[in-house]
Amino acid sequence: MAAAAAAAPGALGALQAGRARLVAACCARLGPGWRLPGSLTGPRVGPAMWARGWAAVAGGSAPRRGYSSEVKTEDELRVRYLEEENRGIVVLGINRAYAKNSFSKNLVKMLSKAVDALKSDKKVRTIIVRSEVPGIFCAGADLKERVKMNASEVGPFVSKIRAVINEIANLPVPTIAAIDGLALGGGLELALACDIRVAASSAKMGLVETKLAIIPGGGGTQRLPRAIGISLAKELIFSARVLDGQEAKAVGLISHVLEQNQEGDAAYRKALDLAREFLPQGPVAMRVAKLAINQGMEVDLVTGLAIEEACYAQVHSPGSERAGCPAGGIEVAKDSPRRGARAVGASPHRPVPAARGQEDKTSSGTRAPDGTLGGSCAFRCSVFHTGVGSVCPSHRLRELG
């Protein structure tokens, strides 16, 4: 018998894993006060086969979760809408402790769903991305899940991670990454997609993919150079170097660094303070300012100034009041005669016609190629049609407003 078991260690491991799952199912039915015996969660059973256990909180009736591979999927991302003086602040809390908050298929799906809801919610003013797990921000892709994928599944999985990170980067409101722990690979790429990054001095950050003979695939090769400069970004990626909070602050990777507190949430508390500073400002002005900065950083200075001018026109329409400001009113009048962009040098009070050869006459006036009246998309015709994948600020502003 012993010889047979020794000859087939894989079969023995499978039997032990099956036993662990069976006991876990029984414990789950008995109630939250039961946990798996230690012998069944020993080193012989791999983490991917651990069953989810529960342990009663000392002296209390409320259970706490054991860290294992069967954590309820709905708990992997917690979306909290803060109230009272923090109304308008939304916190996205990643909660995959057993996997170091790594990106799984389910977590990516939940993030995408949450971002879709947030980007169209006009009551949201600032979004904080944080970890609900002490000592960890996000460790990148879930390699244990990835190793089980077929070769044909890996590419689409990485593409989905990249897509959700891009969605976060394109959120119309300010975003803050609160890094209170480890942020490696895709975890740092997630933080780079946020407008502002704050970290505890004990946090660790780095794009370490080259150690695995791959490269950053969630935007790291593009956003890191934009954040800290090309030469230093190359050095960090080539060496797979990991920085602590102080080092990250020194190179400009983060905006603020703080000594970690006993609760392990110093960065989150700083992020909350920053978000509170944003709340009194004009809500539409905040969105338009972010759009102007993001769009302008991708083009030359002359075009960037034109983008700023076009965006400024949206919050300074003649006859409209600017709301969200202490004086009250509305920041962009819904019935403003002109909500579109204008070209450089044009009068702020007069619509600009579409580019020559790109307009047609209608009974209601000049219609640009996109169907808008009054030449509100002249900016798109004169500038943004020249670039692949470029976005017209006028259209983006209408989406925001």
Side-chain angles (χ1 to χ4, degrees):
M1 178 76 71
L12 180 59
L15 287 173
Q16 291 172 335
R19 182 185 175 204
R21 286 196 296 269
L22 179 60
V23 175
C26 295
C27 290
R29 292 192 178 190
L30 288 171
W34 292 78
R35 68 167 72 188
L36 291 174
S39 61
L40 295 179
T41 57
R44 290 181 298 175
V45 181
M49 297 182 179
W50 287 354
R52 183 177 183 221
W54 289 85
V57 174
S61 57
R64 62 175 173 82
R65 285 187 188 83
Y67 295 151
S68 64
S69 62
E70 294 185 15
V71 169
K72 289 184 178 179
T73 55
E74 62 267 23
D75 290 338
E76 291 187 354
L77 181 70
R78 296 174 179 173
V79 182
R80 291 189 294 129
Y81 291 75
L82 304 189
E83 296 294 339
E84 298 177 355
E85 70 272 11
N86 296 323
R87 185 181 299 274
I89 301 173
V90 178
V91 180
L92 298 180
I94 306 174
N95 185 45
R96 297 191 75 223
Y98 65 96
K100 296 184 178 179
N101 282 355
S102 56
F103 288 116
S104 64
K105 289 181 178 179
N106 181 68
L107 178 59
V108 170
K109 181 179 179 180
M110 294 184 71
L111 273 170
S112 182
K113 183 178 179 180
V115 171
D116 277 342
L118 291 172
K119 68 185 179 184
S120 59
D121 189 341
K122 300 300 173 58
K123 295 180 181 179
V124 175
R125 304 290 299 280
T126 300
I127 297 169
I128 299 174
V129 181
R130 68 166 302 197
S131 167
E132 300 280 345
V133 181
I136 298 291
F137 178 73
C138 175
D142 189 336
L143 298 182
K144 291 181 180 178
E145 182 180 81
R146 181 170 169 175
V147 76
K148 297 176 184 177
M149 298 179 187
N150 299 324
S152 60
E153 295 178 299
V154 174
F157 174 61
V158 175
S159 294
K160 288 179 181 179
I161 294 177
R162 184 185 304 113
V164 76
I165 290 176
N166 287 340
E167 289 171 10
I168 291 172
N170 290 328
L171 280 166
V173 298
T175 53
I176 307 172
I179 308 171
D180 274 307
L182 198 68
L184 300 179
L188 181 54
E189 290 175 308
L190 173 62
L192 284 166
C194 295
D195 300 313
I196 300 167
R197 290 167 293 281
V198 298
S201 58
S202 58
K204 302 294 183 182
M205 291 157 271
L207 296 179
V208 297
E209 286 86 349
T210 52
K211 284 186 176 180
L212 304 175
I214 57 176
I215 70 169
T221 63
Q222 303 306 306
R223 293 192 176 97
L224 185 62
R226 285 166 168 80
I228 66 174
I230 296 174
S231 180
L232 189 52
K234 287 178 178 178
E235 180 181 331
L236 295 181
I237 291 174
F238 294 166
S239 63
R241 188 181 305 159
V242 175
L243 307 178
D244 62 26
Q246 295 290 352
E247 292 169 330
K249 175 66 168 63
V251 300
L253 180 55
I254 61 176
S255 301
H256 303 274
V257 60
L258 309 99
E259 290 298 321
Q260 189 58 280
N261 56 28
Q262 291 184 348
E263 292 78 13
D265 63 352
Y268 169 66
R269 294 191 181 194
K270 178 61 178 179
L272 199 55
D273 288 341
L274 290 173
R276 291 190 186 112
E277 283 189 57
F278 301 161
L279 288 179
Q281 319 313 326
V284 176
M286 296 284 283
R287 293 173 177 237
V288 175
K290 177 173 177 174
L291 176 63
I293 295 169
N294 287 354
Q295 294 278 348
M297 289 303 295
E298 303 303 320
V299 298
D300 60 88
L301 178 60
V302 173
T303 306
L305 291 172
I307 291 172
E308 179 186 78
E309 188 176 11
C311 291
Y312 183 84
Q314 306 305 309
V315 293
H316 198 264
S317 298
S320 68
E321 296 176 294
R322 294 181 294 281
C325 298
I330 49 174
E331 191 156 8
V332 178
K334 296 296 182 183
D335 58 348
S336 171
R338 181 182 167 282
R339 290 170 54 85
R342 59 192 175 91
V344 181
S347 167
H349 307 305
R350 184 174 66 253
V352 178
R356 184 180 300 276
Q358 295 182 324
E359 60 182 20
D360 66 279
K361 300 292 182 179
T362 67
S363 59
S364 54
T366 301
R367 185 181 296 276
D370 70 332
T372 57
L373 292 175
S376 64
C377 202
F379 197 85
R380 175 176 185 150
C381 298
S382 62
V383 177
F384 282 87
H385 275 181
T386 63
V388 178
S390 50
V391 181
C392 172
S394 179
H395 280 90
R396 287 293 299 278
L397 288 165
R398 279 197 289 274
E399 292 174 3
L400 299 182

